[in-house]
Amino acid sequence: MMLRVNGLYGWVQANDRRSVALFAGFLAALNVAAILVLYIPLLAFDPDHAPVHAWGGYAERYVPLVTLAAAGYLALNLVRHVRSVQRLVGFTFVDDADEPRLCRLVETLAIGMGLPAPYVGVIEARALNAFACGVNRRNAVVVVTRGLLDDLDDDELGTVLAHELAHIANGDIRLLAAANACLRLVGWLIRPRLRRSDRLKEVAAFPLIMVTMPPLFLFVLIVGVCAQAALRGSSLIRLLITSSREFVADARAVEATQNPAALVSALRRLDGRSRLADLPPGQDAIMIDGACEGGFATHPTIARRIEAIVAVTGSMALIAPPRRDTRTDAGAAPAVSAIRASVFGASTRAQTCGQSALRRVGSGDDRNWLGLTPAMTAGALLGVVVFLGLHRHELTQPAALVGALDPRPAGALFAVAGRGSLCNVAALGGIALGLQRPAACEGTAVHDFTVAQAQAQASGPVGALLSAMTQAGPNLHMHPDGHFSSVPPAAVQAADVRSKRCFRTRGYAQGDAGLHRVDEPRRRDGAFNIQGWLDGSEAQASVVAAASSEAVGGRMLKDYVETRKTIYESIDRFFGEPGLVLARRAFASPAHQRAIERLRERLGDPRWVAGLSPVESAEATLLATSPEDFVTCVARKRMTAQRL
């Protein structure tokens, strides 16, 4: 990036605005990464707010959550930044007693630049590098390597330190810390989706997808493209931010030291000797020199930085006055010819790095812009051949081919599977904890497409799989929300009451706990007291018969119907046929007849009926219109078998 300005610092404010705009690009990349991570889970468990299928719902519910989560992650990283960097590079804090030359230079330059004296650290490594870190001026740290201290004279070391102090003064340390944290977060979200496997699996994956679920082929390609765009875009954004900031820091260093020749000499000494061993890729972004090519590019090339300094300082960068050097084993200052060579000579590293920023960033591996490795690319081509072979009879029908790749039925499939599993887990939790079933599991739709519509639109393997998922077995029922249960849906239960002329119970068999005689003496605990049960029901019927219309309109009639059900089930189970005969006689009393008349009256009131569930309405109607048929389905089945 050349400085096409008059003077050395005229572009700093414009560069600040540019960095803010580039940082906004990180937020966009984070949201792209979040979409890739959340797409399938939301499609399964929250389809009304899933990206692609419901952009508005996703933007309303999840974009703010993703942004807040990213902001929290960045804030936590900034708070722990200095400690994290210290663990990463292994520097040690020093003071005047440890490194008097270094601390004296740092303090003098800091005072001259109007900064509080920062903390100072040293890395015991022969590499030549330096960096500043922290989140503000008060807790900033300037760190240099032992190789830098030993190889640079005072003037050269001073320009490097001024460069790092410029990062502190400009607020670059906070910006670069946030940029690195953003890139780590984007990589953490995306790279698991790009995990490598062996070549045979990579080749076979796409043909298998084309046989089982063709829409997933497009999804994998879209994920790959978006992932590569987010990764490479994030790397490019960081490169542009760090590149521009390095140029500004060089300019501030020249301003503070008035010695561009010393800075040029220092940069030349660093070139090719700055890499710290065991430092993870991309973590050299905060240093004065780092990678300038590949997927983890963080810096402009040394050659371009020297060119920028020479372009605006002219002959000052080429004049090498005598240098100050307080090293005990100081070497001779470099000659003018060496300085000129550092400006006009192009090292091999500089030549390899001298390319456009876009070409200097990559994914860090052998993936192309589709996110595919060479083996996966071959598998994708083979998958296309397999797909065309399976649909060879439809090659003249483009609409049929497009329909086979339509993601909407697959989306409904994920929604059915997700909602079903969620409701079943909720049901198990409700049984264990005694909680009420979630209201969401009583709905009638799981997606913009109902199950029936999805089945109608689905074809091929997706349609077959969706049909298999939505076909209940003889003892298993599919509910409208997509979950399966041994308990039929309310509409099915109500239809059974009307057609089978009976009411459903929790499940029992006559005599499964032993049968009792109807004339058995009453027990003190009241258990198995058939006459006591019937007397209680008679008393309840009398209350219903004598109650006012207002009182009967509440729960009184509902409780009466439930009592009749409970007594009939208990008598059938524990007393058998003799008990049923006794119950029929008791339920034929005038009090019960009057109570049933009151029930018929209430069933003519739409407002009261509206307060009943479908099953309650069907059971109340059966009792009111045909009291003799008001029996359990277990008893009804037995009676039917006996008649046959």
Side-chain angles (χ1 to χ4, degrees):
M1 183 184 295
M2 296 299 293
L3 303 182
R4 296 185 178 90
V5 295
N6 294 324
L8 196 58
Y9 316 107
W11 70 313
V12 174
Q13 287 185 338
N15 183 64
D16 288 339
R17 292 191 297 270
R18 187 181 305 113
S19 295
V20 171
L22 291 172
F23 194 72
F26 267 128
L27 294 179
L30 283 173
N31 275 282
V32 170
I35 288 173
L36 300 181
V37 173
L38 295 175
Y39 176 69
I40 297 243
L42 290 182
L43 194 59
F45 298 110
D46 191 6
D48 293 334
H49 299 88
V52 180
H53 292 270
W55 281 116
Y58 175 81
E60 179 182 356
R61 174 172 293 186
Y62 290 103
V63 168
L65 293 178
V66 168
T67 304
L68 287 175
Y73 173 86
L74 295 180
L76 180 62
N77 271 267
L78 291 178
V79 169
R80 303 169 55 187
H81 177 59
V82 173
R83 186 177 302 175
S84 299
V85 173
Q86 185 179 18
R87 285 200 305 267
L88 184 67
V89 302
F91 71 81
T92 303
F93 286 101
V94 298
D95 56 20
D96 289 340
D98 303 312
E99 299 290 344
R101 171 175 174 253
L102 173 62
C103 292
R104 184 171 60 253
L105 286 172
V106 170
E107 290 174 0
T108 302
L109 287 167
I111 293 172
M113 298 175 70
L115 295 172
Y119 297 100
V120 181
V122 173
I123 303 172
E124 297 298 335
R126 289 307 307 162
L128 275 63
N129 221 322
F131 65 88
C133 64
V135 294
N136 54 54
R137 297 183 177 188
R138 293 189 303 276
N139 67 0
V141 184
V142 173
V143 180
V144 300
T145 62
R146 179 63 60 187
L148 196 77
L149 284 175
D150 292 345
D151 287 15
L152 270 61
D153 62 34
D154 289 7
D155 287 343
E156 292 170 332
L157 182 59
T159 57
V160 170
L161 295 174
H163 174 101
E164 299 306 331
L165 290 171
H167 281 312
I168 298 174
N170 296 340
D172 296 346
I173 54 175
R174 181 171 54 250
L175 179 66
L176 296 180
N180 268 359
C182 282
L183 190 58
R184 283 198 302 271
L185 181 56
V186 171
W188 178 77
L189 290 172
I190 289 178
R191 290 193 186 279
R193 265 118 226 113
L194 302 178
R195 188 176 290 118
R196 294 292 299 268
S197 58
D198 61 71
R199 292 186 178 181
L200 181 60
K201 290 181 179 179
E202 290 182 349
V203 172
F206 281 113
L208 183 61
I209 287 173
M210 282 302 195
V211 172
T212 57
M213 191 177 295
L216 194 58
F217 176 79
L218 294 180
F219 174 72
V220 172
L221 291 183
I222 292 172
V223 166
V225 170
C226 293
Q228 289 299 312
L231 282 175
R232 298 185 187 222
S234 298
S235 298
L236 177 61
I237 289 169
R238 183 181 65 177
L239 174 61
L240 294 176
I241 290 176
T242 54
S243 293
S244 59
R245 293 287 165 172
E246 292 304 319
F247 287 121
V248 174
D250 287 344
R252 292 291 300 271
V254 171
E255 178 188 37
T257 62
Q258 296 295 305
N259 196 346
L263 179 58
V264 169
S265 176
L267 291 174
R268 180 59 179 163
R269 288 180 183 273
L270 266 64
D271 195 13
R273 302 172 61 192
S274 62
R275 185 178 182 277
L276 287 171
D278 301 324
L279 189 66
Q283 297 305 313
D284 55 1
I286 61 175
M287 298 186 176
I288 191 171
D289 186 36
C292 65
E293 63 181 347
F296 303 102
T298 58
H299 283 68
T301 65
I302 292 292
R304 299 196 68 188
R305 292 168 66 177
I306 292 175
E307 289 173 6
I309 295 171
V310 173
V312 294
T313 60
S315 60
M316 291 181 62
L318 306 178
I319 298 174
R323 299 252 177 78
R324 187 167 57 90
D325 195 345
T326 60
R327 291 175 296 174
T328 56
D329 56 346
V336 175
S337 59
I339 299 297
R340 291 182 181 275
S342 70
V343 175
F344 300 108
S347 66
T348 302
R349 179 173 178 269
Q351 291 173 352
T352 59
C353 293
Q355 51 184 310
S356 68
L358 188 59
R359 293 181 60 191
R360 282 156 56 191
V361 298
S363 61
D365 56 18
D366 58 350
R367 294 179 185 271
N368 56 29
W369 276 93
L370 292 176
L372 304 179
T373 63
M376 293 173 68
T377 302
L381 295 175
L382 182 58
V384 172
V385 173
V386 170
F387 176 78
L388 295 178
L390 292 174
H391 295 80
R392 58 186 178 278
H393 301 300
E394 301 171 348
L395 295 180
T396 58
Q397 304 173 24
L401 294 177
V402 173
L405 297 172
D406 188 351
R408 292 175 297 180
L413 185 148
F414 282 114
V416 169
R419 186 64 62 88
S421 60
L422 182 64
C423 290
N424 285 329
V425 169
L428 293 175
I431 293 173
L433 303 176
L435 302 177
Q436 187 177 2
R437 186 176 181 81
C441 293
E442 303 298 337
T444 58
V446 295
H447 198 266
D448 294 338
F449 292 88
T450 64
V451 173
Q453 287 174 321
Q455 285 181 279
Q457 294 188 20
S459 61
V462 175
L465 184 57
L466 189 57
S467 297
M469 291 181 62
T470 55
Q471 288 176 354
N475 298 313
L476 200 61
H477 304 270
M478 179 182 174
H479 286 242
D481 58 18
H483 83 278
F484 293 90
S485 172
S486 59
V487 178
V492 174
Q493 293 186 50
D496 284 346
V497 172
R498 291 189 291 268
S499 62
K500 297 179 180 179
R501 312 296 289 172
C502 62
F503 59 85
R504 185 181 180 85
T505 57
R506 289 167 294 181
Y508 73 94
Q510 190 181 74
D512 60 0
L515 288 175
H516 299 261
R517 302 194 319 271
V518 294
D519 58 350
E520 187 175 291
R522 295 188 180 185
R523 293 168 48 171
R524 291 185 178 181
D525 59 7
F528 307 115
N529 184 359
I530 186 172
Q531 194 57 52
W533 297 344
L534 295 175
D535 290 346
S537 178
E538 180 76 14
Q540 185 183 29
S542 298
V543 172
V544 171
S548 64
S549 299
E550 292 77 11
V552 131
R555 287 204 52 87
M556 188 176 291
L557 284 174
K558 291 184 181 180
D559 293 340
Y560 174 72
V561 175
E562 288 299 320
T563 300
R564 288 277 295 253
K565 290 172 57 180
T566 302
I567 290 177
Y568 206 102
E569 176 186 350
S570 300
I571 290 175
D572 186 37
R573 181 178 186 183
F574 298 114
F575 292 92
E577 297 302 329
L580 295 179
V581 172
L582 187 61
R584 291 191 192 98
R585 292 174 185 171
F587 289 146
S589 70
H592 282 292
Q593 296 300 319
R594 177 56 183 154
I596 289 174
E597 289 178 9
R598 303 297 299 273
L599 180 60
R600 293 193 194 101
E601 294 171 3
R602 272 297 162 194
L603 286 171
D605 183 357
R607 292 176 298 177
W608 188 78
V609 175
L612 303 177
S613 69
V615 177
E616 290 175 337
S617 177
E619 291 174 346
T621 302
L622 176 62
L623 178 58
T625 58
S626 184
E628 66 280 0
D629 288 337
F630 195 71
V631 296
T632 68
C633 290
V634 173
R636 174 66 64 196
K637 184 177 181 180
R638 189 176 63 252
M639 294 174 185
T640 303
Q642 290 173 353
R643 284 197 296 268
L644 295 176

